[in-house]
Amino acid sequence: MTHAGLLACLAAAALLHCGAPRERDAGPLNLLLITLDTVRADRLGCYGYGRGTTPVLDGLAARGTLFEQASASSAVTPVSHASILTGLYPYHNRLRSLHGGAGYALPEEQRTLAEMLAARGFATAGFVSAFPVTRHYGLDQGFQTWDQDFQSSAGAVVSERGVVDTGSAQRRADATTDRALAWLDGRTGGPFFAWVHYFDVHDPILLPPAEYLARFAPASASHADRLRAIYDAELAFVDAQIGRLLDRLGELGLRDRTIVVVVGDHGQGLGDHGWWGHGILYQEQLRVPMIVAGPPPARAQRVRTSVRTVDLLPTLAELLQLDPPEAPLDGESLGAFLAGSRQLPRMAYSESINDLMAYDDSPRAGESLFAVNDGRWKLIAAREGGASKRIELFDLSADPTESRNLAEARPDQAERLRRQLEALAVFPVEGPQEPLPEEVRRRLESPGYL
Ligand SMILES: [Zn+2]
């Protein structure tokens, strides 16, 4: 069978089972997109972590395709999500900075996955858990139901910082899941697209119930190890909430009619490369979990080839037989991978522009960062004030944790990737943008961005 044939079989799987059609299953498949904020791939069991953080996601991966080397286009939340939802890199969709203030929302003319699906008659609903993915950034485009109601479902929580009022900026995974389940229960038929975003692991603020904290003892009494244990506990709680979503799909008879996609927006430093949060472009911040599961008989497989989160939109457009956007996409369909075909690695591009200004005590504070990764060699270019400041080159096959900068030892590879980066013409205006509005500043303070 050709790739196209295999793909058609996969897309129509529940309909045809590659054979006799079943009348009662006719009609488009549904789509459930789950985005995991701040989750680095190596903290999931199915990516090799041994602490039992993600039994639900491990089970999902075991019935779908797990991409071992998926790269995010950015290490900050709205920028990375905009790429997932448009199939475009930031320099094409023009949402390039968290801290740019007004005018840095996804432009209205961009075509999003939700708009494409709504145009095809899907009921579309988004349930988000934090301010950086809200209407302010334009990420609600195309959603008929849009739930960013943090005020009524969060409130003050007790955290590492003491009592924190998260009411205006974020909510815990159970609150978001409750809303999504209520919407699923109230549906009246027809295909749907639901996007559920979880934010818990972003900070030690949205603490999970005590039994989750008790399950993950810190490796030592150090503050850093205590925070790492909380990160694991928060991830385990998110995983359990995803279990509620998947269970409800089963109870509603929708499991075999729904494609489930799980993807991270970026990872987290957790101390690697001297960085706790995110915003810079090492692999612990860019390599994200990415799983495409269902419907049966989707194959259980692991793909080791380098792919990108911008590839998701064209993949889903192909699986759901949507009309492609008029403008060319940066992403390419992963359909051949899903059908089991071996493919060449894809060059991954990532950027971080004006997003380090929040770290004003860091020597990186004024930098903007640009990276390209061909699946083995990765170049990170730091620029400041419009000029090149530093080049780093890593051989990910020999040094996956990026501990040895080979820019001087391998000038051939550094020059090759530098030319590829420059060919993208991605270097933008850098430096301070218009001042951040006070309301935005206040809301970003709560999630810990500033
Ligand atoms: Zn994020």
Side-chain angles (χ1 to χ4, degrees):
M1 193 181 287
T2 63
H3 294 166
L6 279 167
L7 181 65
C9 179
L10 179 72
L15 248 181
L16 301 173
H17 282 273
C18 303
R22 289 194 299 165
E23 183 69 28
R24 66 186 176 82
D25 285 340
L29 299 168
N30 306 301
L31 174 62
L32 171 62
L33 170 67
I34 298 170
T35 59
L36 304 174
D37 213 295
T38 323
V39 172
R40 45 191 276 182
D42 64 2
R43 276 354 188 224
L44 277 68
C46 49
Y47 283 82
Y49 199 51
R51 299 197 72 194
T53 44
T54 54
V56 171
L57 290 173
D58 300 348
L60 187 74
R63 64 179 177 90
T65 299
L66 179 151
F67 293 91
E68 293 189 358
Q69 300 293 338
S71 288
S73 66
S74 163
V76 296
T77 303
V79 183
S80 182
H81 274 93
S83 280
I84 292 168
L85 295 172
T86 62
L88 293 169
Y89 283 130
Y91 56 83
H92 279 144
N93 71 36
R94 305 207 300 284
L95 203 180
R96 302 189 77 171
S97 176
L98 170 73
H99 294 107
Y104 267 57
L106 184 68
E108 188 60 45
E109 65 266 26
Q110 296 297 339
R111 188 120 170 111
T112 66
L113 179 60
E115 289 173 315
M116 293 165 66
L117 287 162
R120 284 293 297 268
F122 281 62
T124 57
F127 306 89
V128 298
S129 298
F131 176 68
V133 285
T134 54
R135 197 171 281 130
H136 174 78
Y137 291 96
L139 299 178
D140 61 322
Q141 289 182 39
F143 288 100
Q144 298 145 356
T145 299
W146 181 253
D147 189 325
Q148 61 174 58
D149 180 12
F150 313 132
Q151 201 70 50
S152 65
S153 50
V157 295
V158 179
S159 82
E160 284 281 295
R161 298 183 191 175
V163 177
V164 178
D165 178 7
T166 67
S168 63
Q170 55 185 297
R171 62 182 168 188
R172 206 168 71 170
D174 47 351
T176 306
T177 304
D178 288 347
R179 294 298 187 94
L181 291 178
W183 182 81
L184 275 175
D185 289 344
R187 285 179 55 255
T188 54
F192 70 84
F193 166 41
W195 169 31
V196 183
H197 160 261
Y198 291 118
F199 197 67
D200 302 52
V201 311
H202 191 277
D203 302 280
I205 291 177
L206 295 174
L207 290 186
E211 62 262 34
Y212 287 86
L213 292 169
R215 272 173 48 197
F216 295 92
S220 79
S222 73
H223 182 60
D225 275 337
R226 286 201 320 143
L227 294 180
R228 291 187 188 103
I230 291 172
Y231 182 93
D232 288 350
E234 289 169 332
L235 178 56
F237 184 63
V238 168
D239 185 77
Q241 298 305 312
I242 294 170
R244 292 176 64 206
L245 282 177
L246 300 184
D247 287 350
R248 188 63 56 86
L249 288 182
E251 291 158 15
L252 294 171
L254 297 170
R255 186 184 132 127
D256 290 353
R257 302 287 309 149
T258 304
I259 298 170
V260 180
V261 174
V262 177
V263 64
D265 69 335
H266 52 78
Q268 181 83 327
L270 298 180
D272 293 353
H273 292 101
W275 202 260
W276 190 266
H278 44 272
I280 59 175
L281 303 183
Y282 298 113
Q283 286 298 85
E284 64 271 14
Q285 300 196 29
L286 291 182
R287 180 180 171 235
V288 291
M290 193 159 99
I291 299 165
V292 179
R299 62 184 61 230
Q301 61 175 344
R302 304 175 71 90
V303 171
R304 295 184 173 80
T305 311
S306 171
V307 298
R308 300 85 49 97
T309 62
V310 286
D311 295 328
L312 282 174
L313 181 138
T315 304
L316 294 166
E318 189 171 354
L319 288 177
L320 296 167
Q321 299 172 317
L322 307 176
D323 299 325
E326 288 171 17
L329 296 171
D330 293 313
E332 299 170 69
S333 175
L334 300 167
F337 286 105
L338 298 180
S341 167
R342 291 172 66 97
Q343 300 285 306
L344 292 174
R346 296 180 177 179
M347 176 69 82
Y349 168 81
S350 312
E351 68 177 34
S352 179
I353 297 170
N354 296 326
D355 280 320
L356 303 180
M357 61 176 70
Y359 302 90
D360 56 8
D361 57 346
S362 162
R364 290 179 174 273
E367 294 180 3
S368 285
L369 302 170
F370 305 85
V372 284
N373 169 2
D374 69 6
R376 176 181 174 184
W377 295 97
K378 177 177 169 185
L379 181 100
I380 303 175
R383 295 169 65 86
E384 187 163 355
S388 177
K389 182 179 176 187
R390 184 177 63 255
I391 292 283
E392 293 172 282
L393 176 76
F394 301 102
D395 179 356
L396 296 178
S397 63
D399 179 26
T401 59
E402 296 160 299
S403 63
R404 295 186 298 278
N405 178 6
L406 301 177
E408 291 188 9
R410 292 301 303 267
D412 55 329
Q413 294 295 341
E415 180 61 14
R416 179 179 66 85
L417 290 183
R418 195 187 60 76
R419 285 175 188 272
Q420 294 209 26
L421 185 59
E422 291 196 348
L424 297 174
V426 295
F427 301 130
V429 257
E430 295 172 50
Q433 307 296 311
E434 55 197 292
L436 213 53
E438 190 50 40
E439 163 70 6
V440 175
R441 171 171 289 276
R442 189 178 62 76
R443 291 183 142 207
L444 287 176
E445 276 171 357
S446 177
Y449 277 106
L450 295 178

